[in-house]
Each structure stands twice: as C-alpha cells, then as structure tokens.
Amino acid sequence: MSVFRMPSLGSDMEDGTLVEWLVHPGDHVSRGDVVAVIETQKGAIEIEVFEDGTVDRIEAALGQKLPVGAPLAVIREDGEPAADERGQTAVPPPEAESPAPAPPPPADETLPTPPAQESTKARPAPDVIPASPAARARAAELGIDLSALTGSGPGGAILLADVSATRPESTPHPAAKPGLDLAAMREAIAAAMSRSKREIPHYYLDHEIDLEAAQAWLSAHNAKAPPEGRLLMAALIVKATARAAAEARDMNGHFTDSSFVPSKTVNAGVAIALRGGGLIAPALMGAEALCLPDLMAAMRDLVARARGGRLRGAEMTEGTITVSSLGEGGVDGLTGVIYPPQVALVGFGAPRRLPRIIGGAVLPRLCLRTTLAADHRVSDGRSGATFLSRIAGLLQTPEAL
Amino acid sequence: MTEDDIRRTFLDLVTRVAPDLATDDIGGDDHLQDDLELDSMDVLNLVAAIHERLGVDVPEADYMEIATPNRAVTYLSGRLD
C-alpha cells in the first residue's frame, strides 16, 4: 500500500489544484499511466503514477488546492488485499492552503485510523474535459462550467473561443487580458529564476555558428516537402544540441543534493513563449535519438500542448538541459538563466546575414549567436567551449543530423 | 470561393493554430508574426492547415504573401483560380 501524492513539477511549484481524476477506485494502474490532472501555475498538467497497482482509495476531492506532498490516493500493490479486508489504511488529511510545501514524506505510510468514510466524499470523477489553460482560466473567471461547453479544438478540446462564445458580450480582447494564471506563472518563473541565480554560479560562453550549410539543406528539404513534412531550423538546433549534450559529461543532467547526476538520455527542455506572456520549457524526451522528422513532430506536439492542452508531469520534471531559441523575429542573442536542477542552458539568437571573411573574401553569411549558460559547480569553460564547438560542428553537416 | 469565404476560412485557420486569438480581434492588416505573435511553428501549422483545407500548398518562399489576412486573401484567391 502506498500513497500517491501531489508531485512537485519543478522547483518552483508549491501547490496544485486537483481538477480531474482519470481513474476510479478499483482501477489497475501501471507505472507511467496518467491518473489525474492538476492545475498548476503553468497550466493543466497530466500527472503520472510511479508504480504498478490498483487504486484503493481516492483521498483528495476535486477542486482542492493541495501542497506538494499532500496525499491524493492510495495505491494497493498487486497481490495486496484491499484496505477494508485488512483493517484500515489511511493517510493524514491534506493540509489545503498550507503556506509551506509539505516535507517529502516517506514512500509508504500505514497508520491506523477510524474506518474510511472520507474516501466517499471525493466527488465522482467526471468525464475528461480537455481544455486549454486559457479556456480554463476564462471559464473560471466567468463562472462557466466547462462540461456545459462544446469544444472546437483538437480532440474536442475547449478553446478560449468556445468559452468566449458563450458570452458574446464579454470583453473583445481575450488574448490581451492576462488572467490569474499568467500572474501565477510569473510568480513561478520568478521563484525558479531567483533560486537559480541564488544557488547556481553561472558562467557564460558565446560562439557564432555559421548557419549557411544548415539553411541551404533546410531550404532544399522544405522545397521538396509538403507543408506537413517541412522542418524548422529549431528542429536542427535542438537535434545538434541534444547530440552534443549526449557526448558532454557535464552539461546534461541534474544537480541535486550537492552533486551532479549526469543523464544518459537527453531530455531537451524547449523554451516555449506563451502569447500574452509567460514561458514554459517542457522536455522533448530522448531528443538525441530522434530523427529530424520525428523530432519535428514531437516538437510540434509539445508546442501545441504547451499552448492549448496539457503537458505531462514527466515533461515538466525530467528535462536535462534547456534550449531557448528566439527564432527569426528575435534579437541577436540570448544569455539565459539555468532552470534548476539542470546545469546548462543554450540560448540561440535570431539568425542574421552578416559580412564575414571566408577564404580572404568578405561574404554574406547566415550567423547564429549561441550562448551557453552553464553551472560552474559542475563544469568549466573548457568543457563548455568543447560543447558549443560540437554544436557548431554538427550544424555544418545537417544531412547527418 | 468568394474573397469573403477565403477570409473567413483563413481567420478560422489562424484561430485554430493560435487558440488564444479570437477572429473578431484580428484586423486585415495585422501581421501574423509581428502583431499577433505567431511564431515560425504557428506559421508552419497554418500553412499545413491551408494545404489541408484549401488544397493550396504555400511554398516557403511565399510565406510573406500570407503575412496579413488582407495579403493572404489576395494571394489565396490567385492560387485558387
């Protein structure tokens, strides 16, 4: 018997609001299954269970704002008798609205308490209502029940427009009006970045990458491909960074408990700006091993879900390095702040055509300013320089990415 | 398809790739990237949606032709003839 708790989806998260249960008592779950949806400062996130077993009891009711660590459900291991067959198992009541996050509790708690009547207080799980964070925020603001709406988004997801449509007299500028969610997200970003700057001794390295070969290859590829098969430069950049990170010993992983734990795979956090403000960096899992079309598809899916749907808990917590790319409309360069517990962030500016000397002649070249922010507790400038040079080198042979 | 149909379709597709925008908020001369903050991923998704809905394959070299709703209506009308 173990307790499924409100997970921490990043060092900046203190609490979450339970919005949906996707399982019922008696359901069998396997490690990695999405079992619930919580609303966080970064929008609705699907949270996964980390073991195999059967849902014994639901401990938390929908709509409750719960601190990290609060019990959400009790999971019975395979072969274990149900709670009512073996006396009682329960967990301390959740401390809703607790000002501080609960300390990490032991993995398994078995405490005697009176027979369970509290589990039945959880409202029955409603049908899954997919909706964008903006739609949720607006619906909450207007007091509209999402289940009363028909969604027009992917998979019937409720979009902001669907919520607005129910109130034609509502304000005409939904995108320009930041809701509470954005203010909360700003707080979350502030907390994470303050911690980063307080705890991580950053150092920075700048390198200019010649992007002519990559751009020529990309243009030729895209000219032959239908829109669905086209790639973005961002996909090449993420792939090159992920491959270089996989080779580097000290750029890819987590710094926890005073030591660095390198990661074998590269879960590339991709910084995604949200219109209206806010930033989120969910991870592309195993990015170093994805071929470009697969990486592009995964990135498309990630961006769509970051903006209009739901991200997974693992995508929020298992990033091992972050890539932040400004794209065509951006400024020259980006010197980033590392997202703890990661130890490196690579910022890419907007590609610019600039005069450069090639073989004694001045030629226009497409240039990409690349800036590494890395953790001096883990690496030094020399390995950082090797890492950046490797990214640059990989982008010279885009066909081999 | 009349130009009004094309405009309606185009705006519908824009709000699908950018669900936080509402059709009524988009002006004819609003620049998708500069004014409406669509990024290159959104533009690619829009081009894919146009291909699927209207059967018009907008090559990369023509992306600037659909940079605003007004320009897109002109361009797509020409391509649909």
Side-chain angles (χ1 to χ4, degrees), chain A:
Chain A
M1 201 73 70
S2 69
V3 179
F4 176 63
R5 295 175 184 279
M6 177 67 75
S8 170
L9 302 174
S11 59
D12 44 354
M13 174 171 161
E14 293 189 349
D15 50 42
T17 301
L18 190 61
V19 292
E20 283 173 30
W21 275 112
L22 305 182
V23 292
H24 301 84
D27 286 354
H28 188 268
V29 293
S30 302
R31 182 184 164 86
D33 284 354
V34 172
V35 295
V37 179
I38 56 172
E39 190 83 47
T40 72
Q41 291 166 311
K42 293 181 176 175
I45 309 284
E46 295 179 336
I47 56 175
E48 308 97 331
V49 71
F50 291 100
E51 62 211 309
D52 298 340
T54 301
V55 179
D56 194 75
R57 277 180 298 126
I58 300 288
E59 289 283 344
L62 296 179
Q64 269 187 296
K65 186 173 184 178
L66 300 165
V68 169
L72 300 179
V74 176
I75 309 286
R76 192 166 70 236
E77 282 162 40
D78 292 338
E80 220 180 332
D84 47 8
E85 295 165 25
R86 61 189 269 276
Q88 206 25 251
T89 298
V91 292
E95 293 169 38
E97 304 289 354
S98 159
D108 189 326
E109 287 183 356
T110 306
L111 299 172
T113 60
Q117 70 283 60
E118 68 278 10
S119 63
T120 55
K121 284 184 188 154
R123 276 163 41 198
D127 289 337
V128 179
I129 306 169
S132 75
R136 280 181 197 285
R138 174 55 66 88
E141 196 183 321
L142 297 176
I144 294 171
D145 182 1
L146 284 177
S147 63
L149 300 179
T150 307
S152 65
I158 295 166
L159 307 179
L160 184 57
D162 301 324
V163 179
S164 299
T166 64
R167 288 281 183 103
E169 75 283 11
S170 68
T171 63
H173 296 292
K177 186 181 174 191
L180 287 173
D181 270 6
L182 286 175
M185 181 179 278
R186 176 55 47 202
E187 278 179 33
I189 293 169
M193 297 298 97
S194 299
R195 181 187 151 197
S196 174
K197 281 288 189 171
R198 200 165 52 235
E199 296 179 3
I200 303 177
H202 288 64
Y203 71 89
Y204 306 96
L205 298 175
D206 251 344
H207 191 53
E208 183 177 278
I209 296 179
D210 188 315
L211 223 45
E212 286 292 339
Q215 184 61 56
W217 181 85
L218 186 65
S219 296
H221 171 90
N222 286 349
K224 285 180 298 194
E228 303 74 36
R230 286 178 200 159
L231 302 171
L232 292 175
M233 183 61 82
L236 278 64
I237 287 172
V238 170
K239 183 67 195 288
T241 306
R243 279 190 52 191
E247 295 169 11
R249 294 256 159 252
D250 45 16
M251 296 289 152
N252 185 56
H254 286 174
F255 189 93
T256 43
D257 302 329
S258 309
S259 70
F260 174 62
V261 182
S263 170
K264 285 198 178 73
T265 61
V266 181
N267 300 330
V270 180
I272 299 167
L274 304 178
R275 272 180 290 275
L279 182 72
I280 196 161
L284 270 176
M285 315 301 274
E288 85 283 12
L290 296 175
C291 65
L292 281 176
D294 286 354
L295 190 145
M296 182 67 203
M299 215 159 89
R300 246 172 143 150
D301 171 58
L302 201 63
V303 172
R305 286 188 293 113
R307 290 198 174 138
R310 287 173 182 166
L311 295 165
R312 290 283 192 93
E315 292 167 337
M316 302 301 295
T317 55
E318 292 175 18
T320 55
I321 186 169
T322 299
V323 176
S324 189
S325 175
L326 289 172
E328 290 155 28
V331 293
D332 294 340
L334 182 157
T335 302
V337 180
I338 299 167
Y339 187 62
Q342 296 170 24
V343 299
L345 177 147
V346 191
F348 295 90
R352 300 263 192 250
R353 207 163 287 280
L354 297 170
R356 288 293 177 263
I357 298 173
I358 309 283
V362 178
L363 296 171
R365 304 293 288 185
L366 192 63
C367 302
L368 179 68
R369 185 186 293 178
T370 305
T371 306
L372 169 69
D375 186 337
H376 233 322
R377 295 172 301 183
V378 179
S379 67
D380 298 306
R382 180 181 290 269
S383 65
T386 304
F387 174 55
L388 277 191
S389 299
R390 182 64 179 144
I391 297 173
L394 288 164
L395 284 168
Q396 302 316 307
T397 51
E399 66 283 358
L401 281 175

Side-chain angles (χ1 to χ4, degrees), chain B:
Chain B
M1 255 185 138
T2 67
E3 293 206 344
D4 279 351
D5 293 336
I6 295 173
R7 182 177 300 271
R8 219 176 354 260
T9 302
F10 181 77
L11 291 177
D12 178 49
L13 297 177
V14 170
T15 55
R16 273 168 197 278
V17 301
D20 41 3
L21 295 176
T23 310
D24 296 345
D25 296 338
I26 303 174
D29 288 321
D30 280 355
H31 193 283
L32 297 183
Q33 289 180 275
D34 297 344
D35 297 322
L36 302 176
E37 296 183 28
L38 269 65
D39 62 16
S40 49
M41 177 78 77
D42 297 322
V43 171
L44 179 54
N45 288 336
L46 176 63
V47 169
I50 289 170
H51 189 220
E52 193 189 330
R53 180 83 73 91
L54 298 175
V56 176
D57 180 349
V58 182
E60 259 190 345
D62 286 354
Y63 282 6
M64 77 265 296
E65 302 296 336
I66 59 163
T68 69
N70 288 347
R71 292 186 71 170
V73 169
T74 307
Y75 175 79
L76 293 172
S77 304
R79 291 289 308 272
L80 283 165
D81 280 343

